[in-house]
Amino acid sequence: MIAPETEQGVAEAIRAAHDARQPLAIEGAGSKRGMLRPVRAAETLTTRALTGITLYKPAELVISARAGTPIAEIEAALAEKGQQIISEPPSPLGVGGATLGGIAATNLSGPRRIAWGSMRDHMLGIRAVKGDGEVFRSGGRVLKNVTGLDLCKLLSGSHGTLGVLTEITFKVLPAAEATGTLAVSVPDVAAGVRALSAGLGSPFGVSGAALLPGGLASLGLAGPVALLRIEDFAESVTYRKGRLREVLAPYGDVSLVEGAAARSLWRGVRDVTFLDAAPDEAVWRLSVAPSAAAAVCAALPGAKLMLDWGGGLIWVAGEASEAMHAAVVAATGPGSFTLFRAPDALRGAVAVMPAEPAPLAAISARVKALLDPAGILNPGRMGR
Amino acid sequence: MIRLPAPKPEVMARRPQILAGLAALVPADALITEELRLRPYETDGLAAYRQMPLAVVLPRTTEEVAAVLRFCHQQGVRVIPRGAGTSLSGGALPLADAVVVGLMRMNHILDINFEDRYAVVEAGVTNIGITQAVAGDGFFYAPDPSSQLACMIGGNVMMNSGGAHCLKYGVTANNLLGVKFVTIEGEIFEVGGTHLDGAGYDWLGLITGSEGQLGMVTEVTVRILRGPEGARAMLAAFSSIPIAGQAVDAIIGSGIIPVALEFMDRPCIHACEAFAHAGYPLDAEAMLIIEVEGSVAEQDALLARIRDICAQFSPISMKVAESAEQSLAIWKGRKGAFGAVGRISPDYLCMDGTIPTGELPFVLGRITQMSEQYGLGVANVFHAGDGNLHPLIMFDANDPASFAKAEAFGADILKLCVEVGGCLTGEHGVGVEKRDLMTVQFTADELDLQRAIKSAFDPAWLLNPAKVFPLEGNKVLDAA
């Protein structure tokens, strides 16, 4: 495992691999190693030794850190100034330790994404190394920037296949003074999504909207429960909870969750631990229009389910088989899917994400060849 | 003046055949070829630059756009995509051998879905048109560029337009779910959809803000948001720019993210007051307009907090709007700022750099010095929360020397923005205006990489060429 401590070290390692045509698995802490397809590479390049916050300007709402910096370290530094990472980075399935680079390269976001945007939305600038060892920058450190093509977004969610991120600058926001959570007991997923849509369509600033089809034992709720969160100044949270309760009343019994119980609830949603996936089960992450969620869930009887983002983000756990995978893909329809975790045999055999339309795939291949001419960065990871 | 590539002689020589070919692809009223009717398309919001195109096509469908692009690609004809032509950076400036493809007849709203909070619209729908279509149900489309009455969503996507409220709601890129995209080869495909954050490369993010370099967008799926219960503004005036800057820092440091936080300097305050009679304090060196949202009680609470913070910086005056009407009055001067400056100077250039907000006092001080050196007036109005400056450089377009000085002054300001850690353009785009300054912000290798990505979409550089990337060092585009 190659673990450079500097960007130059990353560049040299990649240049050497490029020259030798030696494929590299690219990772940070390796917490999402099981996502998508197995990488075809004997050697691993990790950014985990490339750490440290390089710039933090609380008044400018901007922070920069090297790619291997643990998310927890960044969150701690921000918390000292009363700020937070806007997109609420998850530790999916309870696997923690993620680095900033890993979260950026996978563009995974937590519950707050529905109101305040994804990790990708807040990336202001990157430094990265191409597959030939050349360093490049895109964006910068200011909040508004439309200068040139936006390669920050192209690299976010590229799973290390278009370049290795070495430093990321992103926007942060003040952490809310107070939080309020409402739990609505709903008869089924369809009603739950309607409750979430009613909340998100209200003027009360809902910043989390999740649905637990299996209920919530800790609150003694056996049936499906919709969860809505408000984060704001204390007086606003008090006022908005009351108004939101009125909005949600037609959808089921509404209860309030406070304090540590509420924090633990949203951590469970963020980290998808409510999915309760067994170790031998495969896990899929689907993104659909929320109104399609009920039909998606109905098409997957027997699967474990957890919904976030107003019903638009559906986590599915079930049998690790090609038949189950086919059922999940069919249920997703025009939405998007990711095979998030599965045994190598399954994830090596099936399409782990939707294919690009043919004309786009041709462009995509040309862009990949530009950024990774020898095809050494995470080969196979995204299915090619 | 910025150099444009020479027209391709073989295209100019074949104009009749090219027009005949286009005429076969679109209805007769969708093709404009006579000089009088081409004239409105010779320029855009950067009116100092003018160039008549070969022809203008105004398609009504995605299929017509694709047919026109396919034909132009086969014929080696350059294409200039155009929305409403409100670009302040010359993004829609034609070339003599190019066909302008305008979106204004693709102006239908195709679908509105309140449960899933999106709208699907054709690319020629105006920015305000989206909000008007959903406002009856309490929703809005968040990015609000000053040109929102005229500018079109397709142009907004291509320029990644911002607005006064993006500190809270983000820019265009943060409010899109999908687009229908047409390549220069005439291929049509969807990017994104009605869901968030699909798996795979973020082509939507790359296309947004690509300034017509990669392809054309004919349909756009935008997120729509439920509006707040209400919004109200206050103004606070200060005796110096650094003190006003400290007040901005203190507001944000307190945990408040106002929905808008606008900054005006003395020349701008005076110009706006003479124009709008908004009651702005004429003895102030700097003034903030701060807007908050929520119920009336929430507005009161937030405005009280902000008032207390501003009070620590010895404000010359503060005025909290007591009603929506008073709020509108406070905004009236700001919204009319460009027009107000237009009244006191025959012409102005509107610059658009962004700086780290901590550099505000230094940069505004330097701009004042440069204003004296160049002998040209400048008024500053900008989005303070995000550091996006809009210096308005006043000049006389009838005097070529004055225009040359204004351009040099503008370039100096943008270089300064990059020097202090900022960028050339926060929301107006590079276009033709800032093309030759790109080497200030990017290395030659970085520019080559961006050019190569354009080439992956448009190998012959037919789409909006001579914009964004300097002609020097361009290996494909003939810059003779």
Side-chain angles (χ1 to χ4, degrees):
Chain A
M1 187 175 280
I2 313 168
E5 292 175 9
T6 63
E7 179 182 84
Q8 196 193 340
V10 174
E12 283 165 7
I14 292 177
R15 190 173 305 116
H18 168 266
D19 293 350
R21 298 292 187 268
Q22 182 194 42
L24 292 172
I26 309 297
E27 62 181 43
S31 60
K32 287 177 276 293
R33 202 177 283 152
M35 266 187 91
L36 306 177
R37 284 206 160 169
V39 174
R40 299 185 304 266
E43 183 64 277
T44 296
L45 174 72
T46 172
T47 56
R48 71 180 59 170
L50 186 67
T51 59
I53 292 167
T54 51
L55 174 142
Y56 178 28
K57 300 272 188 184
E60 294 177 7
L61 307 175
V62 168
I63 192 165
S64 307
R66 296 194 184 93
T69 313
I71 287 290
E73 184 179 327
I74 295 169
E75 285 176 333
L78 292 171
E80 274 182 35
K81 302 289 181 188
Q83 297 187 332
Q84 64 187 5
I85 303 179
I86 301 167
S87 59
E88 211 174 354
S91 302
L93 308 173
V95 182
T99 62
L100 174 60
I103 287 291
T106 53
N107 187 29
L108 290 174
S109 308
R112 203 179 292 117
R113 190 272 173 265
I114 189 66
W116 287 90
S118 62
M119 185 66 201
R120 159 263 203 205
D121 281 315
H122 304 293
M123 283 168 61
L124 304 173
I126 55 167
R127 295 180 65 91
V129 181
K130 280 163 44 190
D132 59 1
E134 194 179 288
V135 175
F136 69 95
R137 305 164 303 161
S138 185
R141 56 157 288 202
V142 287
L143 299 189
K144 259 165 100 183
N145 185 349
V146 295
T147 322
L149 296 178
D150 189 347
L151 307 187
C152 300
K153 294 202 173 64
L154 186 60
L155 262 70
S156 78
S158 70
H159 294 268
T161 62
L162 296 179
V164 177
L165 295 166
T166 55
E167 187 173 337
I168 297 137
T169 301
F170 58 102
K171 179 181 173 183
V172 296
L173 280 179
E177 187 178 275
T179 300
T181 297
L182 292 90
V184 192
S185 286
V186 288
D188 52 33
V189 169
V193 170
R194 282 197 297 273
L196 298 179
S197 288
L200 289 164
S202 79
F204 305 118
V206 169
S207 77
L211 180 61
L212 307 180
L216 192 54
S218 64
L219 294 182
L221 301 172
V225 55
L227 300 168
L228 295 100
R229 180 177 65 182
I230 296 166
E231 299 172 293
D232 214 311
F233 288 104
E235 60 262 42
S236 278
V237 169
T238 305
Y239 164 75
R240 290 176 180 219
K241 266 192 313 199
R243 294 298 305 274
L244 193 57
R245 189 170 195 148
E246 295 163 17
V247 170
L248 296 173
Y251 299 91
D253 288 339
V254 183
S255 50
L256 295 177
V257 191
E258 308 284 356
R263 281 194 294 278
S264 142
L265 200 56
W266 288 105
R267 204 176 309 119
V269 172
R270 184 193 74 182
D271 295 345
V272 205
T273 49
F274 285 122
L275 186 64
D276 200 23
D280 61 341
E281 282 178 318
V283 174
W284 292 263
R285 179 183 181 272
L286 316 181
S287 183
V288 300
S291 59
V296 173
C297 294
L300 299 169
K304 294 173 181 168
L305 300 162
M306 193 201 95
L307 292 77
D308 194 0
W309 299 356
L313 178 69
I314 307 177
W315 290 89
V316 181
E319 186 186 80
S321 68
E322 292 197 29
M324 180 66 186
H325 181 75
V328 171
V329 171
T332 305
S336 183
F337 65 89
T338 303
L339 180 53
F340 196 85
R341 188 190 81 186
D344 283 2
L346 177 59
R347 64 197 186 108
V350 299
V352 293
M353 62 173 62
E356 289 168 340
L360 178 58
I363 293 168
S364 183
R366 293 199 285 272
V367 171
K368 165 74 175 167
L370 269 176
L371 287 159
D372 180 20
I376 57 161
L377 300 178
N378 261 350
R381 176 77 160 177
M382 293 180 82
R384 56 188 154 187
Chain B
M1 290 293 281
I2 289 150
R3 194 162 60 88
L4 295 175
K8 296 181 180 179
E10 72 278 13
V11 169
M12 300 306 284
R14 281 186 296 118
R15 184 174 189 251
Q17 294 92 315
I18 291 165
L19 299 189
L22 290 170
L25 299 174
V26 293
D29 69 341
L31 177 64
I32 298 173
T33 59
E34 63 271 39
E35 187 178 338
L36 195 65
R37 291 183 58 221
L38 284 177
R39 188 63 67 188
Y41 298 91
E42 68 172 352
T43 189
D44 60 9
L46 186 69
Y49 288 88
R50 285 164 200 274
Q51 173 60 57
M52 290 285 274
L54 202 66
V56 172
V57 187
L58 304 175
R60 282 195 171 84
T61 65
T62 300
E63 289 67 31
E64 285 179 7
V65 171
V68 168
L69 294 194
R70 191 177 308 122
F71 173 78
C72 288
H73 179 249
Q74 284 161 357
Q75 299 291 317
V77 176
R78 291 164 170 162
V79 172
I80 309 293
R82 183 181 175 103
T86 54
S87 169
L88 292 168
S89 60
L93 178 72
L95 294 168
D97 59 355
V99 172
V100 171
V101 180
L103 294 170
M104 65 275 279
R105 288 184 178 170
M106 297 190 66
N107 57 1
H108 300 94
I109 291 175
L110 303 176
D111 186 20
I112 295 172
N113 184 321
F114 291 110
E115 186 177 6
D116 292 335
R117 299 169 301 282
Y118 68 79
V120 184
V121 303
E122 289 183 335
V125 170
T126 59
N127 174 291
I128 196 82
I130 301 175
T131 289
Q132 284 169 344
V134 299
D137 291 81
F139 281 73
F140 71 113
Y141 172 64
D144 59 341
S146 300
S147 55
Q148 72 178 149
L149 296 178
C151 67
M152 294 170 185
I153 188 66
N156 287 182
V157 171
M158 281 301 154
M159 307 309 275
N160 194 10
S161 306
H165 293 81
C166 47
L167 185 60
K168 178 166 181 190
Y169 293 113
V171 295
T172 303
N174 311 117
N175 289 277
L176 297 181
L177 291 176
V179 295
K180 187 175 276 187
F181 188 79
V182 185
T183 69
I184 186 67
E185 281 100 355
E187 302 278 4
I188 303 167
F189 54 84
E190 310 265 351
V191 181
T194 54
H195 55 276
L196 294 167
D197 303 348
Y201 293 150
D202 184 12
W203 299 113
L204 184 59
L206 182 72
I207 290 163
T208 308
S210 63
E211 303 199 23
Q213 296 295 309
L214 306 182
M216 286 190 68
V217 161
T218 57
E219 285 178 24
V220 184
T221 304
V222 298
R223 297 185 80 188
I224 51 173
L225 304 177
R226 176 64 194 257
E229 286 189 87
R232 207 150 28 111
M234 64 172 282
L235 67 79
F238 299 91
S239 58
S240 81
I241 285 167
I243 290 174
Q246 286 166 21
V248 169
D249 281 359
I251 292 166
I252 288 177
S254 77
I256 300 173
I257 299 299
V259 68
L261 185 47
E262 299 286 297
F263 192 118
M264 296 164 80
D265 72 357
R266 185 186 185 93
C268 192
I269 296 167
H270 279 247
C272 291
E273 180 58 21
F275 178 60
H277 309 292
Y280 291 172
L282 295 174
D283 50 348
E285 288 300 321
M287 190 186 94
L288 302 176
I289 297 177
I290 308 154
E291 186 172 84
V292 300
E293 290 179 340
S295 66
V296 172
E298 289 178 293
Q299 296 165 18
D300 283 342
L302 283 172
L303 290 169
R305 284 181 192 235
I306 294 170
R307 206 186 153 91
D308 287 349
I309 293 166
C310 289
Q312 296 163 21
F313 298 93
S314 315
I316 291 176
S317 63
M318 286 197 283
K319 186 156 86 186
V320 177
E322 303 286 336
S323 63
E325 292 70 35
Q326 287 186 16
S327 220
L328 280 178
I330 288 176
W331 272 108
K332 191 178 168 204
R334 165 61 186 95
K335 298 237 172 184
F338 291 9
V341 171
R343 274 184 15 139
I344 58 171
S345 169
D347 301 280
Y348 63 85
L349 279 181
C350 176
M351 309 312 290
D352 173 50
T354 307
I355 58 169
T357 52
E359 302 289 343
L360 214 54
F362 170 73
V363 169
L364 291 186
R366 285 284 297 126
I367 290 175
T368 303
Q369 289 169 5
M370 289 182 207
S371 167
E372 284 157 16
Q373 284 158 11
Y374 279 101
L376 294 175
V378 61
N380 281 292
V381 52
F382 56 89
H383 315 307
D386 52 31
N388 187 192
L389 303 184
H390 290 314
L392 303 173
I393 300 172
M394 299 173 231
F395 72 101
D396 180 357
N398 292 322
D399 172 5
S402 173
F403 178 55
K405 273 203 290 185
E407 283 203 313
F409 183 4
D412 281 352
I413 292 174
L414 297 184
K415 285 177 194 164
L416 176 64
C417 290
V418 176
E419 230 169 77
V420 300
C423 66
L424 296 173
T425 172
E427 58 186 5
H428 295 175
V430 177
V432 72
E433 182 201 23
K434 292 172 279 275
R435 181 192 76 193
D436 292 342
L437 291 170
M438 286 289 273
T439 51
V440 176
Q441 189 171 329
F442 295 105
T443 66
D445 285 344
E446 286 164 348
L447 284 174
D448 279 345
L449 175 58
Q450 294 185 34
R451 287 188 181 108
I453 289 171
K454 171 179 171 61
S455 295
F457 284 78
D458 175 26
W461 280 62
L462 297 174
L463 280 164
N464 221 10
K467 315 277 171 68
V468 184
F469 304 109
L471 298 185
E472 286 72 26
N474 191 319
K475 297 180 183 81
V476 184
L477 188 63
D478 176 18

